[in-house]
Amino acid sequence: MRTRLPAFTRFRWPAGVAVVALAAAACSTTGSAATDTHGLTGTPIKIGVLANVSGPTGASEASATKVFQAWAAHTNQAGGIGGHPVQVVVKDTKEDAPAAAAAARSLISDSSIAAVVAASTSTDAAVGSILADSGLPVTGGIGYNPTVWGKLKNWFGLTTTFPQVVNMQIASAQPVGGSAISVVACAEEPACVAAVPLFEAAAKAAGKTYSGTMQVAAASPNYTAQCLDLVNRKVNFVQLSISPAVGVRVVKDCQAQGYAGYFGSSASAISPTLYRTANIRLAGALNAFPWWADTAPVKAYRAAMSEQGVSDDDAGQPASTAMWASGELFKKALTSAAGKASDPVTRQTVLGAYGKVKGETLDGLLPQPITFTAGQPAPPVNCYWLYQYQNGAFAGSAQPTCPS
């Protein structure tokens, strides 16, 4: 049975990049600081993080990495996992397939690494089989590439998977009256339009008018002509398949041309860079828990971020909450499996623990009850959280939406 949550409050962050293919359906350097063990003397549990820290569109994934490091420090401060301190080793994929593959092999060759979390959506395909075949478990993170998540063994996904990661964008248009839908996509990368046929089909299946795809170049001085076209075609929901920085420019130009509808942004495309744009109206779907929710587990997340000195900009996006949820599930799964503080925690220990995860929701931090079976690919995650954002505040349903 699903856990019902109380209604969200309208939560405001104080004032203060990833290229997306319609929520990124497209598709080494050690950067970790020493994790504070807080005096714990047990055998350490070392977790590798494959993260796009320095790539051109890696802002949200770099933020998510900070959150995971903060989770480890917070966990150690509270006694670790059964007395075992957690240590985090970050490998920067640089948004580059060869670099990502080299980083994955580096983690595999280090026998002290017990598990990996993935925070480099653009390179999942480059490392998928390498990690699946190695026996090094990927215990969550951020991802929806259908050739990896839900397809390969030892990849334990927790966030919304394909095809719902595309369909949920159409679903997010419904509550805000989006009836004539268009996509604004980047012109530089084929990945930005890779999911457009699926998006168009989902729009038509939902009875929406699909008003076409418009590609824009980051180097363009303005987007006045494109925005006028959207207004003339009476589009009232524009899905953004561009980096947040370019998205801000498109939003401002379209506002100046009289566009009064909503902009769509979902999954790891949502970032403070975009949602802090003046007078923006956003609607979309989250593939990880909403950071503004008024529930005990989410309040604990915000308190931990404050305690660990993580900024609201880094904590306030779904890529970051996905990494926190991954850490919390790891802690819960390993608490009884880790053994004595002096016992080593190996990859087999982690695989055994994850094979026993049954119907887990983490009290609402996961989008649906999660069950894993040893030696089998993780089941699809079909649920997500719908949200709206306007007047500087988030609002949305307290209950994840779970299509059939």
Side-chain angles (χ1 to χ4, degrees), residues 214 216 220-232 249-259:
M214 185 176 298
V216 298
S220 295
N222 63 68
Y223 307 105
T224 300
Q226 293 93 330
C227 291
L228 282 172
D229 190 23
L230 292 171
V231 172
N232 290 337
R249 295 174 55 209
V250 169
V251 168
K252 289 181 177 179
D253 282 358
C254 287
Q255 288 172 337
Q257 300 308 317
Y259 177 78

Side-chain angles (χ1 to χ4, degrees), residues 202-295:
K204 291 179 177 178
K208 309 297 182 184
T209 299
Y210 186 71
S211 299
T213 303
M214 185 176 298
Q215 290 188 272
V216 298
S220 295
N222 63 68
Y223 307 105
T224 300
Q226 293 93 330
C227 291
L228 282 172
D229 190 23
L230 292 171
V231 172
N232 290 337
R233 285 189 282 124
K234 302 186 186 308
V235 172
N236 58 10
F237 191 89
V238 177
Q239 184 66 38
L240 299 175
S241 182
I242 47 183
S243 71
V246 177
V248 169
R249 295 174 55 209
V250 169
V251 168
K252 289 181 177 179
D253 282 358
C254 287
Q255 288 172 337
Q257 300 308 317
Y259 177 78
Y262 277 79
F263 292 93
S265 183
S266 293
S268 57
I270 306 164
S271 78
T273 300
L274 182 63
Y275 65 68
R276 293 222 171 99
T277 306
N279 302 316
I280 194 171
R281 297 207 300 171
L282 283 173
L286 309 177
N287 59 342
F289 71 84
W291 53 95
W292 64 86
D294 188 23
T295 65

Side-chain angles (χ1 to χ4, degrees), residues 91-402:
K91 296 288 185 178
D92 184 4
T93 68
K94 306 176 185 178
E95 201 173 320
D96 175 75
R105 290 190 177 97
S106 175
L107 292 172
I108 292 167
S109 66
D110 182 351
S111 61
S112 69
I113 301 292
V116 171
V117 291
S120 183
T121 56
S122 62
T123 59
D124 281 343
V127 302
S129 295
I130 295 172
L131 287 166
D133 295 341
S134 74
L136 178 56
V138 182
T139 56
I142 315 156
Y144 19 72
N145 187 309
T147 68
V148 176
W149 300 94
K151 182 74 171 179
L152 300 177
K153 65 178 182 179
N154 302 337
W155 281 74
F156 299 102
L158 310 178
T159 56
T160 314
T161 51
F162 189 87
Q164 291 301 340
V165 76
V166 176
N167 296 340
M168 70 187 192
Q169 298 166 77
I170 301 299
S172 71
Q174 186 69 36
V176 297
S179 56
I181 300 175
S182 186
V183 173
V184 173
C186 76
E188 295 83 0
E189 293 289 340
C192 289
V193 294
V196 165
L198 298 173
F199 184 86
E200 180 178 357
K204 291 179 177 178
K208 309 297 182 184
T209 299
Y210 186 71
S211 299
T213 303
M214 185 176 298
Q215 290 188 272
V216 298
S220 295
N222 63 68
Y223 307 105
T224 300
Q226 293 93 330
C227 291
L228 282 172
D229 190 23
L230 292 171
V231 172
N232 290 337
R233 285 189 282 124
K234 302 186 186 308
V235 172
N236 58 10
F237 191 89
V238 177
Q239 184 66 38
L240 299 175
S241 182
I242 47 183
S243 71
V246 177
V248 169
R249 295 174 55 209
V250 169
V251 168
K252 289 181 177 179
D253 282 358
C254 287
Q255 288 172 337
Q257 300 308 317
Y259 177 78
Y262 277 79
F263 292 93
S265 183
S266 293
S268 57
I270 306 164
S271 78
T273 300
L274 182 63
Y275 65 68
R276 293 222 171 99
T277 306
N279 302 316
I280 194 171
R281 297 207 300 171
L282 283 173
L286 309 177
N287 59 342
F289 71 84
W291 53 95
W292 64 86
D294 188 23
T295 65
V298 181
K299 287 179 178 178
Y301 168 70
R302 294 198 295 267
M305 293 301 96
S306 177
E307 164 197 281
Q308 297 298 325
V310 176
S311 72
D312 294 336
D313 278 0
D314 286 325
Q317 47 193 311
S320 295
T321 60
M323 293 292 276
W324 176 267
S326 297
E328 289 295 278
L329 182 61
F330 186 90
K331 179 167 58 180
K332 187 163 187 177
L334 269 293
T335 293
S336 60
K340 298 177 182 178
S342 58
D343 293 340
V345 175
T346 67
R347 298 170 188 185
Q348 287 304 314
T349 308
V350 175
L351 287 170
Y354 270 68
K356 296 177 182 177
V357 171
K358 306 296 180 187
E360 184 59 60
T361 67
L362 293 179
D363 296 325
L365 293 184
L366 300 180
Q368 68 186 46
I370 297 294
T371 295
F372 298 129
T373 302
Q376 298 296 318
V381 179
N382 293 318
C383 301
Y384 46 82
W385 285 270
L386 294 173
Y387 81 92
Q388 298 87 46
Y389 179 89
Q390 61 180 331
N391 301 320
F394 283 95
S397 171
Q399 180 106 353
T401 296
C402 296

